């Protein structure tokens, strides 16, 4: 007889599988898994319900002492470790301004389950269905339901008039929410849709087949380009700059920069990250600046000069990064995170000094969306809630008018019918 303890192969194998298969959806299920994951990945690794209804009313605030007048003080120890200034004039919310139930939302790192349109409508994917929430009126309506499979990614057009829906079967659907009807069904991908992005009449789609497709939605033969070889795995992040430069992120840990929607090879391939890059977003007020975030084995937030391919700065986010948005007035960016704290983190630009962590969700954050004026951020979580936070100052009237003018010039409604 031997006194030697031999751990279960199955238990250890799940952690090694995370490393081998790059599975960002893996998370510890018990204390032993947690200790094991910390050693492998580091200290911080990993029908009768009313849909999108208020979970509870926001707490009443004294008008002279509202939620934005209190400096967020949670996690002082972590802030000290991050070498934050002893005193800060920045105020951040202590609680969400609005909480909605989102039953059935799929806990999937690689999904993009929500987007906020320039017309103030929030689209949310709940398993096989898409619901629309009007942020002004509070009205909720069901837009569509798939016959089979799940909705994996959503993206509004610039003018907010049409919604593109990516599915687990590899199809891309384009919907007119006002008419409550589907306009197009774009086929071509051989795997689940991982990300979508619009630039004028061109819709870019990335999928599990590691292919990037460019669609001209104005014409019947919609496929402009079918790009292979740039990524070696699922393309799970896409975003266009105001100048029409496309950034793509993949489960191969790479970020590719494409000069135009019709470019056949990337201008730069950025390889700083050591895990999947789902979270990426162009800075709205600084040309050529791109923010990216890595998964569990990386946990880095990076800022890039995409024109030169140069890394400007980086910071340890302490957990997988699932979403990024920028302040339109403040020189800041906000990141969403997964296990183990499921928090939002606010960072100063360009040094990436952390301002604060905002907590409230009890499950992994799956994505972020930003209001048209830039002031509010909506976070979707595996805890089956959407939370709305007033983090930034609203954009000025002139800037909002400029955005509306650009959105109004979009002619997709007339051309794709």
């Amino acid at each position: 007889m031997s006194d030697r303890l031999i751990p279960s192969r199955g238990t250890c194998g799940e952690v090694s599988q995370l490393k081998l298969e790059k599975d960002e959806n893996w998370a510890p299920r018990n204390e032993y898994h947690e200790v094991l994951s910390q050693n492998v990945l580091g200290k911080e690794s990993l029908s009768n319900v009313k849909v999108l209804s208020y979970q509870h009313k926001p707490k009443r605030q004294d008008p002279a002492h509202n939620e934005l007048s209190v400096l967020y003080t949670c996690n002082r120890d972590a802030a000290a470790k991050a070498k934050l200034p002893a005193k800060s004039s920045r105020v951040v919310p202590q609680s969400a301004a609005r909480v909605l139930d989102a039953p059935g939302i799929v806990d999937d790192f690689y999904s993009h389950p929500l987007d906020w349109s320039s017309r103030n409508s929030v689209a949310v994917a709940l398993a096989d269905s898409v619901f629309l929430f009007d942020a002004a009126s509070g009205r909720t309506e069901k837009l569509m339901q798939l016959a089979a499979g799940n909705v994996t990614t959503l993206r509004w057009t610039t003018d907010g008039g049409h919604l593109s829906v990516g599915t687990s079967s590899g199809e891309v659907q384009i919907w007119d929410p006002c008419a409550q009807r589907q306009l197009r069904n774009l086929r071509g991908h051989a795997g689940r849709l991982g990300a979508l992005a619009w630039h004028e009449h061109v819709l870019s789609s990335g999928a599990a087949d590691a292919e990037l497709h460019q669609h001209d939605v104005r014409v019947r033969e919609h496929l402009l380009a079918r790009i292979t070889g740039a990524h070696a795995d699922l393309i799970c992040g896409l975003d266009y700059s105001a100048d029409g430069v496309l950034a793509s992120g993949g489960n191969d840990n790479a970020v590719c920069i494409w000069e135009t929607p019709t470019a056949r090879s990337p201008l730069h391939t950025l390889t700083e990250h050591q895990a999947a890059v789902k979270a990426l977003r162009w800075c709205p007020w600084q040309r050529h600046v791109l923010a990216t975030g890595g998964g569990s084995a990386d946990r880095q937030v990076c800022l890039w000069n995409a024109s030169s391919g140069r890394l400007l700065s980086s910071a340890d986010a302490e957990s997988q990064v699932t979403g990024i948005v920028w302040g339109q007035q403040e020189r800041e960016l906000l990141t969403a995170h997964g296990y183990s704290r499921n928090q939002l983190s606010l960072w100063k630009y360009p040094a990436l000094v952390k301002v604060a962590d905002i907590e409230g969700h009890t499950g992994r954050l799956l994505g972020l969306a930003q209001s048209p004026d830039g002031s509010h951020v909506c976070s979707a979580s595996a805890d089956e809630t959407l939370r709305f936070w007033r983090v930034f100052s609203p954009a000025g009237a002139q800037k909002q008018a400029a955005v509306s003018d650009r959105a109004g010039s979009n002619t997709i409604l007339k051309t794709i019918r």
Side-chain angles (χ1 to χ4, degrees):
M1 295 292 290
S2 171
D3 294 331
R4 183 181 176 190
L5 173 64
I6 302 177
S8 166
R9 286 173 178 250
T11 304
C12 296
E14 292 189 24
V15 180
S16 61
Q17 184 179 13
L18 167 65
K19 299 290 285 184
L20 292 174
E21 297 185 0
K22 303 177 182 178
D23 183 6
E24 290 293 335
N25 288 319
W26 185 92
R29 295 195 306 271
N30 52 49
E31 186 177 353
Y32 176 70
H33 276 197
E34 183 171 345
V35 173
L36 196 58
S37 67
Q38 288 176 0
N39 281 278
V40 174
L41 298 177
K43 184 177 180 181
E44 292 290 340
S45 65
L46 289 306
S47 60
N48 58 347
V49 179
K50 189 175 181 181
V51 177
L52 299 184
S53 62
Y54 288 108
Q55 187 183 55
H56 59 76
K57 294 182 179 179
K59 295 179 181 179
R60 292 184 176 273
Q61 300 285 345
D62 183 347
H65 190 259
N66 61 35
E67 65 179 12
L68 285 179
S69 67
V70 180
L71 182 64
Y72 189 76
T73 56
C74 185
N75 198 28
R76 291 182 182 271
D77 292 339
K81 292 179 182 178
K83 299 182 179 179
L84 296 181
K87 294 182 180 179
S88 173
S89 59
R90 181 64 163 100
V91 292
V92 296
Q94 287 185 305
S95 60
R98 175 183 287 171
V99 181
L100 305 182
D101 286 321
I105 194 166
V106 179
D107 183 5
D108 181 3
F109 169 88
Y110 300 102
S111 69
H112 295 269
L114 82 162
D115 197 22
W116 201 329
S117 79
S118 58
R119 300 186 185 185
N120 212 18
S121 179
V122 181
V124 185
L126 302 182
D128 58 356
S129 304
V130 175
F131 291 82
L132 302 180
F133 173 75
D134 187 296
S137 66
R139 185 170 59 91
T140 301
E141 62 180 351
K142 185 176 181 178
L143 176 65
M144 54 84 72
Q145 184 172 8
L146 296 175
N150 285 334
V151 176
T152 56
T153 180
L154 300 171
R155 202 68 181 262
W156 288 99
T157 54
T158 305
D159 69 348
H162 297 86
L163 179 68
S164 54
V165 178
T167 71
S168 57
S169 64
E171 294 180 349
V172 180
Q173 300 180 4
I174 300 178
W175 283 77
D176 180 349
C178 293
Q180 289 276 307
R181 71 185 185 97
Q182 183 180 341
L183 301 179
R184 298 207 64 171
N185 191 10
L186 311 178
R187 297 182 177 89
H189 283 293
R192 63 163 283 177
L193 261 293
L196 296 167
W198 287 93
H199 177 64
E200 297 177 348
H201 56 271
V202 175
L203 172 63
S204 299
S205 60
D209 56 13
E211 294 186 356
L212 176 63
H213 291 185
Q214 307 286 26
H215 311 269
D216 185 341
V217 300
R218 301 172 301 176
V219 297
R220 183 177 297 276
E221 300 300 324
H222 55 86
L223 193 59
L224 286 175
R226 185 174 190 163
I227 303 168
T228 62
H231 286 282
D233 205 336
L234 166 71
I235 297 174
C236 50
L238 289 172
D239 194 43
Y240 272 104
S241 72
D243 299 324
V245 179
L246 176 66
S248 62
N251 200 39
D252 57 358
N253 312 342
V255 176
C256 293
I257 307 298
W258 310 83
E259 273 192 290
T260 65
T262 55
R264 296 304 179 106
S265 60
L267 174 66
H268 300 293
T269 299
L270 314 176
T271 58
E272 179 73 16
H273 290 291
Q274 302 301 311
V277 184
K278 167 196 173 182
L280 43 79
R281 189 71 64 181
W282 292 95
C283 180
W285 34 260
Q286 185 69 55
R287 289 188 66 193
H288 308 305
V289 173
L290 175 70
T292 61
S296 299
D298 178 70
R299 303 170 296 168
Q300 294 291 311
V301 177
C302 295
L303 296 179
W304 304 88
N305 180 331
S307 179
S308 64
R310 183 169 62 93
L311 179 65
L312 300 176
S313 58
S314 64
D316 182 5
E318 301 180 354
S319 58
Q320 65 179 189
V321 186
T322 61
I324 298 174
V325 296
W326 290 82
Q328 295 184 18
Q329 296 291 92
E330 293 85 354
R331 299 271 169 163
E332 296 170 341
L333 60 155
L334 186 73
T335 54
H337 299 274
Y339 171 80
S340 61
R341 291 171 54 211
N342 311 310
Q343 86 281 9
L344 296 162
S345 294
L346 190 63
W347 309 83
K348 279 290 186 184
Y349 172 88
L352 286 180
V353 173
K354 187 183 287 190
V355 177
D357 288 320
I358 305 172
E359 298 180 328
H361 283 292
T362 58
R364 182 224 314 261
L365 273 73
L366 303 171
L368 291 178
Q370 195 168 19
S371 63
D373 68 358
S375 62
H376 285 77
V377 174
C378 177
S379 54
S381 170
D383 64 12
E384 297 191 327
T385 66
L386 305 182
R387 294 176 187 259
F388 293 78
W389 316 83
R390 179 162 182 153
V391 182
F392 303 113
S393 302
Q398 290 183 346
K399 189 169 185 178
Q400 290 189 57
V403 172
S404 298
D405 289 343
R406 288 200 302 272
S409 65
N410 196 310
T411 59
I412 290 177
L413 176 60
K414 296 179 181 179
T415 57
I416 64 178
R417 285 183 173 178

